[in-house]
Amino acid sequence: EAGVTQFPSHSVIEKGQTVTLRCDPISGHDNLYWYRRVMGKEIKFLLHFVKESKQDESGMPNNRFLAERTGGTYSTLKVQPAELEDSGVYFCASSTGFNYGYTFGSGTRLTVV
Amino acid sequence: QQQVKQSPQSLIVQKGGIPIINCAYENTAFDYFPWYQQFPGKGPALLIAIRPDVSEKKEGRFTISFNKSAKQFSLHIMDSQPGDSATYFCAASPVQSSASKIIFGSGTRLSIRP
């Protein structure tokens, strides 16, 4: 089966610009998660979708971040306006929810300059 | 504050040695403790996991030791190989459901010298 696909793989934007990251989960996986790793630190949870609904968005840093999951399929994470501290690697993961087995995508490396 | 503390930050071991990565947690609601392995340019991949009702779990050359009373767990890699060089993350997940979020440690960059 195809894995979790994220794009772009890299993005360099200027402070104040807008960036949209996309995640295509494994087909049939109702659960979709966004995580972020800032340089050298832990991978931090951002939010969790079950189908198209936000189950847990407790990790979203502020209202500059907007996540959507249209029709319960792919998801987008928009950062508007981007700040320097938003730089990091953004990971998406998906799961069936019937076990703890997440599958992660390869991540999007975001650099805000 | 960091809910899962991981050490060391980096580790260099000779081939055949036994690297040990340690983690500690505070939240007694955690009920599932996975380890993830990440190679450069890839996402983390589940390596091995343990529940707190057992003290040790072994899969191939990888072993998790779990000390519930101390709230600590560790990963041992037996007969380490250069191909094991990667970043390793310990993690924990609360008991609510198998779809609950995972709380990660800060990662250990492991390098196995030939």
Side-chain angles (χ1 to χ4, degrees):
Chain A
E1 65 182 358
V4 176
T5 305
Q6 291 185 246
F7 48 94
S9 57
H10 294 82
S11 180
V12 181
I13 62 170
E14 292 185 352
K15 177 182 171 181
Q17 288 187 322
T18 297
V19 63
T20 300
L21 314 181
R22 173 167 168 148
C23 170
D24 285 74
I26 292 173
S27 178
H29 282 196
D30 288 340
N31 294 272
L32 186 149
Y33 311 81
W34 284 97
Y35 285 81
R36 175 175 73 173
R37 189 183 192 207
V38 173
M39 178 71 79
K41 300 202 172 178
E42 72 269 30
I43 301 173
K44 273 194 169 179
F45 169 81
L46 296 178
L47 88 159
H48 170 201
F49 282 101
V50 177
K51 298 186 179 178
E52 67 274 10
S53 300
K54 292 176 184 173
Q55 181 76 10
D56 180 355
E57 52 183 328
S58 60
M60 294 289 264
N62 52 60
N63 59 12
R64 295 185 294 103
F65 289 74
L66 175 64
E68 295 179 323
R69 190 179 182 192
T70 307
T73 55
Y74 71 91
S75 175
T76 58
L77 180 65
K78 180 190 286 188
V79 185
Q80 179 182 31
E83 298 289 344
L84 298 178
E85 65 263 26
D86 300 332
S87 296
V89 181
Y90 290 76
F91 291 105
C92 174
S94 71
S95 78
T96 61
F98 292 106
N99 57 52
Y100 288 95
Y102 279 23
T103 301
F104 277 86
S106 296
T108 294
R109 181 175 295 276
L110 174 65
T111 303
V112 183
V113 298
Chain B
Q1 74 282 15
Q2 203 168 336
Q3 296 191 54
V4 178
K5 294 185 179 179
Q6 182 171 350
S7 63
Q9 190 173 15
S10 63
L11 185 57
I12 300 173
V13 172
Q14 288 294 126
K15 177 184 173 184
I18 305 175
I20 301 172
I21 303 170
N22 299 299
C23 288
Y25 65 98
E26 288 297 325
N27 189 345
T28 55
F30 290 148
D31 189 52
Y32 172 74
F33 300 87
W35 285 86
Y36 281 79
Q37 179 187 55
Q38 184 188 15
F39 293 106
K42 302 292 185 183
L46 180 64
L47 182 64
I48 184 173
I50 196 167
R51 303 294 292 269
D53 51 346
V54 297
S55 60
E56 184 176 280
K57 183 172 181 180
K58 188 177 292 188
E59 285 186 5
R61 296 183 293 107
F62 299 90
T63 300
I64 301 177
S65 298
F66 190 88
N67 185 329
K68 187 174 181 178
S69 60
K71 290 187 278 187
Q72 295 175 347
F73 58 112
S74 60
L75 177 71
H76 297 62
I77 305 176
M78 309 301 289
D79 187 27
S80 58
Q81 301 296 313
D84 296 328
S85 298
T87 299
Y88 291 81
F89 294 93
C90 63
S93 188
V95 74
Q96 290 113 6
S97 85
S98 59
S100 294
K101 65 187 177 188
I102 292 176
I103 311 298
F104 285 88
S106 54
T108 296
R109 180 176 284 187
L110 174 65
S111 179
I112 307 297
R113 293 265 168 86

